[in-house]
Amino acid sequence: MPFFQSASLKEITKPFIDAIPGARQIVQRVRHGKKPPPEFSGWGMTTNRVPPWKNDSQIARDFLKANDALIAAVRDGHFHMTQYADNTDKLGMLRSLMWRHYFVFWTVRHATVSGGESLVECGVSDGLTAYFASHAVNNAKKIYLYDAWEKMLEEDLLESESRHMGDYAYLTLERTKKNLEGVNAEYVKGHIPDVFKTHKTPESIAWLHIDLNASKPTTDSLEEMYRHVASGGAILFDDYAGRGFKDTRSAVDKFFSDKGGLFLPMPTGQGVFFKY
Ligand SMILES: C[S@@+](CC[C@H](N)C(=O)[O-])C[C@H]1O[C@@H](n2cnc3c(N)ncnc32)[C@H](O)[C@@H]1O
């Protein structure tokens, strides 16, 4: 019997389809007439890969528990997402941020192996990141929260960042405190770097998050905080590979060019430095 009659077309084509990246999705689309929905889409990233919070693991369960509690708090009006006031679908927004928040959760949990005593965030806004960071360690570490809770200043912005002038004028420290009720936090209000002159930087930091939407205060924060980050700790950046943040990316790359550690850029646009 000729070979083509003994083997089905599917069997013959399978090795070729498996060998070409993306070919299986094209075949499925032709066969089923529509694209299967992506596993995740949001915050500039779409993927067909199964997200880690669907794993049967402790960290996945803990992350989902924190995420569900936040959804309930937003729904009940206990947590206000003032930064996304114009977005009418707040829960959809939270869903789209899940990969971002998973990286926050994971890096905090990993950084605790460093033995560093505290968590720090520079750029807090309503407290979304701080919420996930504190839940990752069940509130066991104090989180120091630095923010101006006032509009961004012209002198902090490069020409390429001038679109941010006046941003965040609507934030209030009181609202963030209410959002983060029960979190083991110390609030440090003031503009970076001036605030570093009046507030003593925590001695031993396990995890530092920098999310300031501007390269100058990002560098100022690194210069002040880096020596306090414990060996084995992590420094997470929110704005590393976002479009429109190329100066932040260059500043971060330059800062770490002579430091001992490894930088991992992530597809969400975040980046994390693991300090050796
Ligand atoms: C993108 S938001 C932070 C979002 C926050 N991490 C979250 O997850 O919701 C940027 C924050 O940086 C703060 N910020 C910007 N420049 C600052 C500076 N020089 N000093 C202190 N805070 C600043 C703003 O007030 C704003 O709250």
Side-chain angles (χ1 to χ4, degrees), residues 79 83-84 97 100-101 104 121-132 146-153 156-157 167-171 176 188-196 209-214 216-218 220-221 238-239 245:
F79 192 110
Q83 196 182 325
Y84 301 100
L97 290 168
R100 172 195 194 258
H101 291 155
V104 169
E121 180 173 49
C122 297
V124 181
S125 185
D126 295 316
L128 271 182
T129 327
Y131 170 89
F132 282 99
Y146 289 74
D147 202 294
W149 284 287
E150 269 176 26
K151 67 178 182 191
M152 286 178 80
L153 302 176
D156 284 343
L157 298 164
D167 279 4
Y168 303 109
Y170 54 84
L171 292 178
T176 304
V188 188
K189 179 170 163 45
H191 277 99
I192 293 169
D194 287 354
V195 72
F196 297 143
H209 187 230
I210 303 185
D211 184 8
L212 292 160
N213 284 11
K216 185 186 165 297
T218 295
D220 292 338
S221 302
D238 198 62
D239 312 325
F245 290 102

